[in-house]
């Protein structure tokens, strides 16, 4: 019955969330979150919607929080694009009743030490100033997200969950944006097989950008007008203006299979399919404005102590190179209440020069009896 309800939910969401024709659609409006969290899940290609069952579920599928028995803490740091972009994630989950769990999480993706050369240019002579270095400053571009999550177990095999999401994006003092939305998900667990569905930005995220015109001020006075130089006359470009964009929902379908190998070993396999309504048609499988993003991953766990993982977090067809895949590999070790995981992947794909991505994450379970999930 619960599985049937999950399918109904997916069909309803697919119908009520078509591409908005009268609004400006941001195809990559929240892409800083698309990379995912948890080195274990990312080493498995991000195929984690169905079998996520710890604090990292705040990202993959909030319903997975229902599986936590004790408070949990997670942290991940990743270096992307050969170290140019840094990404940090921290989360905590706490079971508040026999059936309910809450979670809090924070994400930050940033590029630091970006050079601001606006005032290193001599507008009157139309060339760099004599000592341009003394006129160059630095700024950072950062994308942040804060999520409040809730999960509820409806039966021993079925759970649902949701997350409220606030997005904050800044480009130095030049521009900033706010965005708000929420995610929802469900999981069904069998003895070895599991299914999951998550809808990211279920409410459609409205992302509003504002521009600080004073940050584009140029040093010096125009001798012809006696007025300060403007950005437009120096660089022959219009000053950027604020705007509002929509980030459309993404439906993520997941499946998982756990196969015991001996008494204490296991193989876990995950297969996910993301369906986006944002009109991405370049280098992805698509039917009109509906694009498909498959993910595949596997893990071999030895005595619940050491694990080896591999996956494909992008499988696409390109016009120039044919089939393009982004592989990932990783390993992890579990020491009672502490897990340490590492993931490695080619962030841009096999045909890209964007550099590799390294992810390191830690996961801690506070398994004190007094903090255990309350019983019925």
């Amino acid at each position: 019955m619960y599985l049937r309800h999950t399918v109904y939910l997916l069909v309803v969401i697919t119908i009520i969330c078509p591409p908005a024709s009268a609004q400006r659609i941001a195809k990559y409006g929240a892409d800083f979150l698309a990379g995912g969290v948890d080195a274990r899940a990312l080493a498995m290609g991000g195929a984690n919607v169905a079998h996520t069952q710890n604090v990292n579920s705040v990202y993959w599928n909030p319903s997975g929080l229902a599986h936590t028995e004790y408070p949990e803490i997670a942290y991940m740091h990743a270096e992307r694009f050969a170290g140019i972009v840094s990404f940090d994630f921290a989360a905590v989950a706490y079971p508040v009743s026999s059936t309910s769990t809450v979670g809090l999480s924070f994400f930050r993706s940033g590029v630091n030490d970006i050079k601001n050369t606006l005032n290193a240019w001599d507008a009157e002579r139309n060339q760099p100033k004599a000592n341009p270095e003394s006129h160059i400053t630095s700024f950072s571009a950062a994308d942040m997200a804060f999520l409040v999550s809730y999960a509820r177990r409806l039966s021993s095999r079925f759970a649902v969950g949701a997350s409220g999401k606030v997005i904050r994006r800044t480009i130095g003092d030049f521009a900033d944006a706010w965005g708000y939305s929420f995610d929802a998900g469900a999981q069904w667990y069998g003895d070895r097989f599991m299914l999951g569905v998550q809808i990211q930005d279920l409410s459609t995220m409205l992302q509003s950008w504002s521009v600080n015109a004073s940050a584009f001020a140029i040093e010096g006075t125009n001798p012809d007008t006696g007025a300060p130089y403007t950005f437009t006359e120096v660089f022959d470009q219009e000053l950027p203006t604020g705007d509002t964009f929509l980030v459309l929902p993404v439906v993520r379908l997941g499946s998982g299979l756990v196969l015991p190998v001996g008494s204490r070993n296991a193989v876990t396999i995950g297969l996910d399919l993301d369906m986006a309504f944002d009109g991405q048609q370049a280098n992805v499988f698509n039917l009109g404005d509906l694009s498909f993003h498959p993910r595949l991953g596997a893990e071999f766990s030895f005595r619940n102590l050491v694990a080896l993982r591999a996956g494909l977090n992008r499988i696409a067809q390109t016009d120039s190179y044919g089939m393009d895949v982004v592989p990932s590999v990783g390993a992890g070790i579990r020491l009672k209440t502490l897990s340490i995981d590492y993931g490695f992947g080619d962030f841009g794909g096999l045909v890209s020069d964007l550099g590799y991505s390294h992810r390191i994450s830690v996961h801690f379970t506070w398994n004190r009896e007094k903090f255990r999930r309350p019983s019925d």
Side-chain angles (χ1 to χ4, degrees):
M1 179 179 68
Y2 291 116
L3 180 58
R4 184 188 305 170
H5 289 172
T6 301
V7 175
Y8 288 166
L9 174 63
L10 173 61
V11 172
V12 171
I13 295 305
T14 304
I15 294 174
I16 67 175
C17 297
S21 58
Q23 300 286 344
R24 298 192 63 181
I25 307 301
K27 294 185 179 181
Y28 309 100
D31 241 25
F32 74 99
L33 292 176
V37 304
D38 181 20
R40 173 183 182 265
L42 295 175
M44 295 176 63
N48 201 42
V49 170
H51 56 74
T52 181
Q53 52 182 315
N54 59 24
V55 62
N56 293 295
S57 300
V58 295
Y59 173 83
W60 296 106
N61 187 342
S63 62
L65 291 172
H67 297 278
T68 60
E69 289 298 314
Y70 299 93
E72 296 182 7
I73 300 173
Y75 172 76
M76 186 190 85
H77 177 74
E79 297 287 340
R80 297 173 173 171
F81 300 109
I84 296 175
V85 180
S86 62
F87 181 89
D88 292 279
F89 160 78
V92 58
Y94 194 91
V96 294
S97 73
S98 61
T99 57
S100 299
T101 307
V102 296
L104 299 174
S105 54
F106 177 77
F107 306 71
R108 184 189 185 276
S109 177
V111 179
N112 301 315
D113 198 28
I114 305 172
K115 301 304 179 183
N116 176 7
T117 61
L118 285 178
N119 289 308
W121 186 258
D122 190 325
E124 186 174 350
R125 296 188 300 153
N126 198 32
Q127 63 183 30
K129 293 180 179 178
N131 297 308
E133 295 83 4
S134 62
H135 299 275
I136 295 176
T137 58
S138 299
F139 66 95
S140 297
D143 298 316
M144 293 167 283
F146 179 74
L147 274 66
V148 179
S149 305
Y150 173 80
R152 185 173 181 84
R153 184 185 300 161
L154 301 183
S155 74
S156 60
R157 295 186 181 275
F158 190 78
V160 296
S163 295
K165 182 190 306 182
V166 178
I167 302 293
R168 171 68 170 168
R169 311 185 71 182
T170 61
I171 305 176
D173 295 328
F174 300 99
D176 63 85
W178 289 94
Y180 310 89
S181 68
F182 70 91
D183 305 335
Q187 280 184 333
W188 176 86
Y189 253 73
D191 295 331
R192 296 182 181 179
F193 183 68
M194 57 216 70
L195 294 172
V197 58
Q198 185 206 25
I199 303 95
Q200 292 183 333
D201 298 314
L202 172 61
S203 58
T204 301
M205 179 187 294
L206 186 66
Q207 202 171 99
S208 300
W209 280 93
S210 60
V211 174
N212 179 15
S214 63
F216 291 86
I218 305 299
E219 295 178 352
T221 302
N222 188 328
D224 296 330
T225 63
Y229 281 111
T230 65
F231 177 87
T232 300
E233 65 184 350
V234 172
F235 297 101
D236 195 27
Q237 295 182 16
E238 292 296 325
L239 190 68
T241 59
D243 209 339
T244 300
F245 298 90
L246 293 178
V247 179
L248 297 183
V250 175
V251 177
R252 308 185 68 184
L253 305 176
S255 61
L257 180 65
V258 179
L259 299 173
V261 181
S263 60
R264 298 180 61 187
N265 309 324
V267 172
T268 301
I269 301 172
L271 174 62
D272 285 10
L273 178 66
D274 298 356
M275 299 190 300
F277 302 88
D278 51 15
Q280 293 187 37
Q281 297 179 342
N283 301 333
V284 296
F285 303 109
N286 68 87
L287 291 174
D289 288 338
L290 179 62
S291 60
F292 302 91
H293 309 264
R295 306 171 188 268
L296 175 66
E299 173 191 71
F300 173 71
S301 176
F302 177 74
R303 295 184 180 275
N304 201 29
L305 176 65
V306 177
L308 299 176
R309 303 157 185 138
L312 299 175
N313 55 37
R314 174 181 163 88
I315 305 172
Q317 182 70 30
T318 68
D319 295 334
S320 301
Y321 300 97
M323 186 66 69
D324 177 30
V325 298
V326 179
S328 55
V329 295
I333 184 171
R334 183 173 182 177
L335 304 171
K336 293 184 179 180
T337 61
L338 179 68
S339 298
I340 303 174
D341 298 290
Y342 170 75
F344 173 81
D346 184 353
F347 189 77
L350 295 178
V351 298
S352 173
D353 297 323
L354 295 177
Y356 299 107
S357 178
H358 301 271
R359 302 109 167 186
I360 299 176
S361 64
V362 294
H363 173 264
F364 176 75
T365 302
W366 202 346
N367 63 348
R368 300 292 188 269
E369 192 60 32
K370 64 179 179 179
F371 296 122
R372 186 168 188 161
R373 178 184 294 278
S375 59
D376 292 332

